[in-house]
Amino acid sequence: MKKLVLLMLIVALVVPMALFAQGSQEAATGSQEDSKMGGVLVFGRSGDSVSLDPGRETDGESFYATTAVYDTLVEFVPGETAVQPALAESWDIEDGGLTWTFHLREGVKFHDGTPLNADAVVFSFERQFVEDHPYYDQGPWKYWGYMDMDNIVDEVIAVDDLTVQFKLKKVEAPFLANLAMDFASIVSPTAAAKYGDDFKNNPVGTGAFKFVSWTKDSDIVFERNEDYWDGPVYLDRLILKVIPDATSRWLALQKGEVDLIDFPSAEDLPAMAETDGIQLIQQPGLNVGYLALNTQKKPFDNKLVRQAMNYAIDQEEIVKAVYGDVGQVAKNPLPPTIWSYNDDIEDYGYDPDMAKKLLAQAGYADGFEMELWAMPVARPYNPNARKIAEIMQAQLAKVGIDAQIVSYEWGTYLDKTDMGEHQAAMLGWTGDNGDPDNFLWVLLSAPAAELPAGNIALWKNAEFTDLIGRAKEVTDQAERTELYREAQVVFHEEAPWVPIAHSVVTIPAKEEVKNFVIYPTGKRVFKHVYFED
Amino acid sequence: MFKHILKRLSLLIPTIFGVVTLVFFMIALAPGDPARVMLGERANAEQIEQLRAELGLDKPLIQQYGLYLSRIVRLDLGKSITSGQKIASEIKERFPATIELAIWAMLFATVLGVLLGVTSAIRRNTWVDYTTMGGALVGVSMPVFWLGLVLIMIFSVWLDLLPTGGRMNIRYFFEPITNFYVIDGIIMWFKEGTPKFLVSALRHLILPTIALGTIPLAIIARTTRSSMLEVLQQDYIKTARSAGIKERRVIYRYALRNALLPVITVIGLQFGLLLSGAILTETVFSWPGIGKWIYVAIGARDYPAVQGGIIFISIFFVLINLVVDILYSVVNPKIRLQ
């Protein structure tokens, strides 16, 4: 009996030891060459892609993968929201902005050898909106709808082998930025025909990396495209690895199993900053969290009260308590990474005395009672609305405003705020295409205040709407910038919101990882990343 | 016995009907419009209507239920809303990972649990007993999530001995064959002549096995101990001992066999519960299994996936209980299956 127990214990101890011993051998990664070329980069991310067809999906995790494989006609300048040529070398705008002609880059090939030409571009777009197109049924093409492309694009025409023309239904300057988004990726028509319904699992594009394999919920593997038009691509291979838990991701980075990680948890950031061999790559995100004041309901129909709210709420305190190192106080509806952000505007700041004065002027010397709505869920732009509401409640009490915190289940919350049932409600927005229109028109224009409203301040300001309406129609960037800057001044004066914060995107990475740039639009781009020896 | 198995299998039908009904109404009556939640901030009224129609949410509840039942009868679990893939193939892709981990965890818990339980019972009220049972108490009250992170911290980060998560060193670019990685590793050993895949698969299994197996281990150890103590008091044991039969034979041949009966029941139940513990373990160790998949589906309100997953697990649970019943009659012929 004793011997048996002893034997089993020995087995139980020795077998794992033998396995441990293999450890150092397995952990060793491929050696790097002396130049920038080579290496396998592993990106630890929080979830798996839904599918690998960029037209079908809406989630960031899917786009992380498709961005590696596909290119677009135009692309975002690394780290910015402006666009630059990509598969299209140049473009002309005619008919007062109704006809856009794109000239394609010559000699580009898809990974399956199919040449990139105008037909491929037409195919990539028509499948998303021409209802009798043979591949239309592979949809739904959600982002096409989200970006309102049905009301923008009339037809896409192949003029000659390397020239594509878009005929628009209306003049819409942000259209160009839409073409830099993932849903506008150019796909190989040959591969789409070859794989049929399974094309969404077998992506073939012109991008920096070729798709190799996908193990669901685990990893997607890509290899270098040797013939990349925007090369050289330094990495031999790129792996997107799913590690759902934030702490586990951080542990995997410390262990060296992954080279950089997505969505670190805020509590770990101070420790990360102090860890040798780890760098934190940071940039404010393309988002805004705000408190919308319902301008159609008392007392927020009064501009003075809205301004008083801005003075009474101390965003600094909120950001410190709730966002920690991953937030930046907001003063404008646009995030600072977006072009035309008006930095000349001076924040209201925290000034309870000024708030009281304005309230008295507005006839609320004794304050008032209000409902303060807080979302029940964490969002990228607002990690904890309930906690923010509590801090606001305390701050508002100091100027005599008695705020009751109200919350609903998320779906109900969205429905009720859409219908303008609230007095004041927190919400936020994450931008899609990096165009100011994608924030200001959707969230603050008069048409967006029609129920169900995207503009939940129900703010109908003719001057503001006119400015951003004109900015939609001129295609000159400098002119558009001026109009948006002016619009932000009107917003500041009228104060339909209390802007709260922009959350900061942080990517912790090994120090050897070089040239990784955070794109404000949320893309993760590895085409020019390399390892330093 | 064969007849009994058939009868038990036929009982699956009402069980599954019950599960389907319960799951359907629980989800249908949960507050919030799934279409609204799925589309989030950026939805307009038209898109919400369209999605509701796509999901069949615009029909009366009873009609939705009828449609759902008729699909289940045809063994059609439907398609996932988020991925558009068939639920059946989604499950097929992930279930091997969960089962592989569950089997190892159960093996770990059973072998070690019975061993510790027996040792404790024999050495009753000695330091061995106190340590083991104390350890079991800690084990049973340990939060799996926390235990997993601590294991990673110690064995992966500090001691640098084991990987932090996943099923295989991803730099091996391994393409699964059966999707049971230990089996695949053995196949690869024959095919490619290197055991590295097998070794990597086993190394990745160690920490999640311990994390997932700790609670069942503690429960099995405690059950074995008390059951063993009870049996050791029995007259026939005293008779056997007085007849001069060797102590080892008395314990393993006569006592343990009877003591194992309640333990087997516990093992069966724990195996079923393991599937729920798997959600946490799979999340901490980035294990691409079914538990984590259902968890994500709940968050995304992917109802067909949640329903399909729960139905699948329920069937699995019932089947395991059936196997336990059969084992019962093997261990103790006195309990005849009718």
Side-chain angles (χ1 to χ4, degrees):
Chain A
M1 157 66 199
K2 271 185 196 161
K3 276 183 207 153
L4 186 72
V5 174
L6 202 65
L7 186 74
M8 289 185 95
L9 278 176
I10 289 172
V11 170
L13 288 173
V14 167
V15 171
M17 286 292 189
L19 294 171
F20 282 144
Q22 298 278 336
S24 42
Q25 187 192 331
E26 194 192 348
T29 58
S31 67
Q32 285 153 29
E33 290 157 26
D34 41 3
S35 70
K36 291 176 178 177
M37 288 304 267
V40 175
L41 182 126
V42 185
F43 178 48
R45 58 179 184 150
S46 66
D48 203 4
S49 299
V50 176
S51 91
L52 305 183
D53 188 328
R56 261 191 107 245
E57 306 309 336
T58 58
D59 61 304
E61 298 295 349
S62 294
F63 294 145
Y64 288 1
T66 62
T67 299
V69 178
Y70 292 108
D71 288 315
T72 41
L73 291 177
V74 294
E75 65 183 14
F76 294 108
V77 176
E80 295 175 27
T81 52
V83 295
Q84 65 184 19
L87 289 180
E89 277 180 318
S90 62
W91 54 92
D92 318 310
I93 306 163
E94 291 152 298
D95 294 345
L98 283 174
T99 304
W100 294 64
T101 308
F102 291 88
H103 306 286
L104 301 182
R105 199 172 287 277
E106 228 183 302
V108 177
K109 281 195 166 55
F110 288 100
H111 303 149
D112 62 355
T114 310
L116 169 81
N117 56 26
D119 289 334
V121 176
V122 172
F123 176 89
S124 301
F125 287 99
E126 279 194 340
R127 65 179 189 140
Q128 300 189 47
F129 74 100
V130 177
E131 285 178 23
D132 54 5
H133 192 275
Y135 295 90
Y136 180 75
D137 288 341
Q138 288 184 356
W141 308 100
K142 294 178 206 143
Y143 243 110
W144 185 270
Y146 288 170
M147 300 316 290
D148 201 29
M149 291 291 271
D150 273 328
N151 294 318
I152 299 172
V153 175
D154 188 26
E155 53 180 340
V156 188
I157 308 158
V159 178
D160 62 41
D161 203 40
L162 291 175
T163 313
V164 186
Q165 216 165 54
F166 285 78
K167 298 271 189 199
L168 303 194
K169 290 179 178 168
K170 60 176 180 188
V171 183
E172 174 82 5
F175 163 73
L176 187 66
N178 289 354
L179 294 187
M181 292 176 64
D182 291 279
F183 81 91
S185 295
I186 308 304
V187 306
S188 161
T190 332
K194 179 178 159 197
Y195 292 110
D197 271 343
D198 216 22
F199 181 57
K200 61 176 185 284
N201 297 321
N202 293 279
V204 178
T206 55
F209 294 94
K210 296 181 188 179
F211 170 74
V212 177
S213 69
W214 182 9
T215 309
K216 286 274 171 72
D217 284 350
S218 172
D219 53 89
I220 305 183
V221 180
F222 306 91
E223 64 184 12
R224 177 198 299 132
N225 175 6
E226 303 282 356
D227 306 320
Y228 190 50
W229 59 269
D230 191 19
V233 179
Y234 300 121
L235 301 170
D236 292 334
R237 290 202 165 198
L238 166 68
I239 303 176
L240 305 183
K241 179 171 166 47
V242 180
I243 305 177
D245 179 57
T247 309
S248 301
R249 279 199 295 283
W250 166 225
L251 293 172
L253 179 64
Q254 278 175 281
K255 175 97 196 300
E257 288 171 7
V258 298
D259 301 298
L260 65 176
I261 57 173
D262 219 5
F263 304 124
S265 88
E267 301 93 77
D268 289 334
L269 286 178
M272 289 174 177
E274 283 172 16
T275 305
D276 279 342
I278 300 290
Q279 56 172 331
L280 294 182
I281 306 168
Q282 287 193 314
Q283 195 182 49
L286 198 65
N287 61 59
V288 61
Y290 57 86
L291 173 70
L293 307 173
N294 190 337
T295 57
Q296 312 266 325
K297 281 194 176 170
K298 277 196 180 309
F300 300 119
D301 54 345
N302 188 329
K303 182 171 93 178
L304 296 174
V305 177
R306 300 198 300 264
Q307 289 176 341
M309 290 288 285
N310 271 282
Y311 282 117
I313 290 172
D314 180 9
Q315 289 105 320
E316 295 275 355
E317 186 189 347
I318 291 171
V319 169
K320 220 174 268 167
V322 180
Y323 291 78
D325 292 336
V326 293
Q328 183 183 27
V329 170
K331 61 177 179 181
N332 284 330
L334 292 178
T337 38
I338 225 164
W339 58 269
S340 82
Y341 177 81
N342 193 339
D343 211 9
D344 297 339
I345 286 173
E346 205 175 312
D347 200 350
Y348 280 101
Y350 178 54
D351 189 346
D353 295 332
M354 186 67 184
K356 276 188 199 157
K357 218 167 93 188
L358 286 169
L359 285 176
Q361 254 184 57
Y364 293 98
D366 300 329
F368 52 85
E369 285 180 11
M370 65 172 280
E371 281 189 356
L372 176 58
W373 289 29
M375 302 101 70
V377 289
R379 305 297 291 165
Y381 48 76
N382 186 336
N384 191 342
R386 296 295 297 262
K387 195 167 166 194
I388 293 181
E390 284 163 21
I391 298 172
M392 284 182 175
Q393 191 179 39
Q395 293 171 347
L396 291 171
K398 287 182 192 155
V399 299
I401 300 173
D402 177 14
Q404 292 291 322
I405 298 172
V406 175
S407 194
Y408 295 95
E409 177 278 327
W410 183 222
T412 315
Y413 187 89
L414 289 169
D415 274 339
K416 285 182 179 285
T417 47
D418 275 7
M419 299 314 289
E421 290 179 26
H422 56 285
Q423 249 182 321
M426 274 187 246
L427 207 62
W429 182 255
T430 303
D432 291 310
N433 61 3
D435 197 284
D437 178 73
N438 184 239
F439 277 79
L440 302 181
W441 190 266
V442 197
L443 301 176
L444 290 161
S445 71
E450 299 301 329
L451 303 181
N455 172 357
I456 67 161
L458 304 182
W459 182 54
K460 296 178 186 170
N461 184 290
E463 189 190 358
F464 181 87
T465 304
D466 177 59
L467 284 168
I468 61 174
R470 273 194 284 152
K472 259 169 151 5
E473 289 173 6
V474 294
T475 46
D476 180 64
Q477 184 88 352
E479 217 175 311
R480 294 190 68 203
T481 305
E482 216 24 70
L483 289 165
Y484 285 128
R485 285 177 63 89
E486 249 178 86
Q488 289 167 73
V489 175
V490 178
F491 168 89
H492 181 75
E493 167 66 21
E494 292 289 323
W497 294 354
V498 180
I500 302 170
H502 311 290
S503 70
V504 174
V505 180
T506 306
I507 303 273
K510 284 187 197 165
E511 234 149 38
E512 307 90 274
V513 176
K514 297 291 167 192
N515 217 14
F516 177 81
V517 179
I518 297 179
Y519 280 56
T521 47
K523 284 182 184 233
R524 300 285 181 262
V525 180
F526 297 98
K527 60 184 183 181
H528 295 143
V529 173
Y530 62 90
F531 285 106
E532 196 181 60
D533 292 338
Chain B
M1 172 142 146
F2 186 65
K3 235 172 101 189
H4 176 79
I5 294 174
L6 269 186
K7 200 173 124 199
R8 286 293 299 266
L9 283 176
S10 68
L11 272 177
L12 259 177
I13 294 167
T15 309
I16 290 167
F17 176 79
V19 168
V20 170
T21 309
L22 204 68
V23 170
F24 179 87
F25 283 101
M26 250 159 51
I27 287 171
L29 298 177
D33 175 2
R36 194 69 179 84
V37 171
M38 270 178 232
L39 291 172
E41 291 94 338
R42 58 186 72 253
N44 63 37
E46 190 187 325
Q47 286 160 356
I48 294 173
E49 255 341 285
Q50 197 186 338
L51 184 61
R52 288 180 59 84
E54 258 171 54
L55 302 179
L57 294 172
D58 51 347
K59 300 192 180 72
L61 195 60
I62 287 300
Q63 199 183 339
Q64 288 179 40
Y65 176 62
L67 281 173
Y68 189 67
L69 275 189
S70 76
R71 283 223 324 270
I72 298 289
V73 169
R74 282 177 278 131
L75 296 179
D76 176 10
L77 290 176
K79 283 184 175 178
S80 153
I81 296 170
T82 44
S83 74
Q85 302 273 79
K86 284 208 172 91
I87 304 288
S89 75
E90 295 264 21
I91 291 175
K92 211 179 101 195
E93 272 178 81
R94 293 171 175 84
F95 199 56
T98 299
I99 272 295
E100 182 167 52
L101 177 57
I103 288 174
W104 282 97
M106 230 34 233
L107 223 61
F108 164 75
T110 309
V111 172
L112 212 59
V114 170
L115 213 68
L116 289 175
V118 171
T119 316
S120 272
I122 301 169
R123 305 279 176 87
R124 190 182 176 189
N125 295 336
T126 63
W127 65 271
V128 180
D129 185 26
Y130 294 139
T131 319
T132 313
M133 286 305 113
L137 190 65
V138 173
V140 82
S141 29
M142 189 100 76
V144 175
F145 207 88
W146 180 82
L147 174 63
L149 287 175
V150 168
L151 286 172
I152 296 176
M153 193 95 84
I154 296 175
F155 290 99
S156 305
V157 179
W158 290 349
L159 300 177
D160 196 18
L161 292 171
L162 289 168
T164 61
R167 296 181 74 192
M168 175 72 71
N169 185 336
I170 43 172
R171 291 169 208 265
Y172 287 176
F173 306 111
F174 166 78
E175 302 231 355
I177 307 162
T178 61
N179 232 334
F180 291 96
Y181 277 26
V182 172
I183 297 176
D184 286 0
I186 296 170
I187 296 174
M188 292 300 279
W189 195 352
F190 281 110
K191 264 173 67 178
E192 310 228 323
T194 162
K196 71 171 188 179
F197 297 102
L198 177 62
V199 170
S200 179
L202 290 173
R203 282 165 42 78
H204 281 83
L205 270 163
I206 294 172
L207 295 184
T209 296
I210 295 172
L212 187 57
T214 296
I215 290 177
L217 163 67
I219 292 173
I220 290 169
R222 288 163 66 97
T223 313
T224 309
R225 178 181 178 270
S226 61
S227 168
M228 198 69 189
L229 282 177
E230 204 176 300
V231 172
L232 286 175
Q233 306 290 322
Q234 305 272 324
D235 286 345
Y236 76 90
I237 296 292
K238 288 180 190 152
T239 313
R241 278 181 177 151
S242 58
I245 298 173
K246 274 190 189 157
E247 184 65 10
R248 192 201 302 172
R249 193 176 163 86
V250 170
I251 287 175
Y252 283 94
R253 184 73 198 223
Y254 300 114
L256 184 58
R257 201 158 169 176
N258 282 309
L260 273 183
L261 280 179
V263 177
I264 288 173
T265 315
V266 169
I267 292 173
L269 286 172
Q270 287 300 317
F271 204 165
L273 291 176
L274 221 56
L275 293 171
S276 61
I279 293 182
L280 298 175
T281 315
E282 286 177 2
T283 306
V284 184
F285 290 99
S286 318
W287 196 264
I290 199 167
K292 206 199 93 213
W293 175 71
I294 293 178
Y295 180 71
V296 171
I298 293 171
R301 307 258 172 151
D302 189 345
Y303 291 166
V306 175
Q307 285 163 337
I310 294 179
I311 289 167
F312 185 81
I313 285 190
S314 312
I315 296 174
F316 193 75
F317 194 87
V318 175
L319 286 178
I320 284 189
N321 278 312
L322 177 61
V323 172
V324 168
D325 279 4
I326 295 167
L327 268 181
Y328 238 85
S329 70
V330 175
V331 177
N332 188 350
K334 247 169 78 184
I335 301 170
R336 283 274 163 248
L337 299 170
Q338 280 122 42

